[in-house]
Amino acid sequence: MFGVNSALSSPPLAELMAFTASDESRIGFHNDCFLASANDFGTYEDYGNSNTPRTSDGMVLNTLRDYMKADSRFVVVGGETCSDDYSLNDCEPAGKAQEEFAAMHFSYLNAHYNTAVNNDWQTGGCMDNIKKNLGYRFVLQSAVLPDNVVKGTSLNIVLNVKNVGYASPYNKRTIKLVLRNKENGSLKSFDLASDVRKWYSGSFKVEESIKIPSEFATGDYEMLLNLPDEYASIADRPEYSIRLANKNVWEASSGYNKLNHIVSIK
């Protein structure tokens, strides 16, 4: 896709070019021998071309690993293991399995091969964490939410979120703030500007300002967060919505995440 003469010094995808639907932004990674050896059985090698030889020295290894660490932040990454002979593919602290998953931003892994490695992670005690953290895992750490808002003015929210997963979502989703009337259950949804694909691993702050229409019905409203699938055919199916990794927030019947706060619209 990039041409056989692409230089080893070619830069990884930059955030400015990520998620643009360009060819470069749509090419992900499938590592067929994850943590199988120092260079993953040839994954991190310069295979050369008609004018240059195949090279697998330390400089090439580090250059290609650094490229994947940077590029994988913005694209889909997954694969499978293929050998249990490499000591560093064990659970921490003896190995670095979870460290490598995080560094390469893995979203999926073949559960059926190589079972020797997968079984080691089970007995070693890190498989549960790997399952939880493949892809994204959003924890709402705190929020600043208003108690009262006057119609015709703005409702301002601050969400302090931590993505403890290895990656961020790679498909577009429109985040929605939902207000549900406490008296009659009526719903009003507002699209937020934040791009969930940029909710990268680590802690971050989401600050949004929403204009409440002057004709909005007065009353008390529950505040909820909805992260539905972008496709209209499944957007209303709760099993396709993103669930926050907090206790007592998920509403299975709607796919909403409760912010456990009431705002009074006056």
Side-chain angles (χ1 to χ4, degrees), residues 138-155:
F138 299 132
V139 180
L140 179 60
Q141 297 187 300
S142 64
V144 180
L145 307 170
D147 294 326
N148 302 281
V149 177
V150 177
K151 293 188 294 184
T153 66
S154 294
L155 184 158

Side-chain angles (χ1 to χ4, degrees), residues 165-182:
Y166 302 138
S168 61
Y170 44 81
N171 287 331
K172 184 179 185 299
R173 287 177 184 258
T174 301
I175 308 167
K176 300 175 184 292
L177 178 70
V178 179
L179 300 183
R180 182 165 59 197
N181 191 289
K182 287 280 290 180

Side-chain angles (χ1 to χ4, degrees), residues 191-259:
D191 291 352
L192 303 185
S194 184
D195 188 341
V196 72
R197 295 172 297 183
K198 296 181 180 181
W199 288 16
Y200 306 121
S201 300
S203 298
F204 53 93
K205 179 182 291 186
V206 178
E207 298 181 86
E208 298 272 354
S209 182
I210 299 157
K211 182 69 176 292
I212 300 298
S214 57
E215 67 275 11
F216 201 90
T218 60
D220 292 337
Y221 290 83
E222 296 176 83
M223 299 182 70
L224 310 107
L225 203 64
N226 186 22
L227 296 89
D229 196 276
E230 195 74 6
Y231 281 90
S233 59
I234 55 176
D236 294 329
R237 293 179 59 174
E239 66 268 33
Y240 287 95
S241 292
I242 291 179
R243 176 180 181 175
L244 299 181
N246 296 75
K247 292 182 179 180
N248 304 317
V249 301
W250 179 244
E251 194 173 79
S253 60
S254 64
Y256 299 160
N257 295 277
K258 295 182 289 185
L259 295 178

Side-chain angles (χ1 to χ4, degrees), residues 80 114 158:
E80 64 184 24
N114 179 296
V158 177

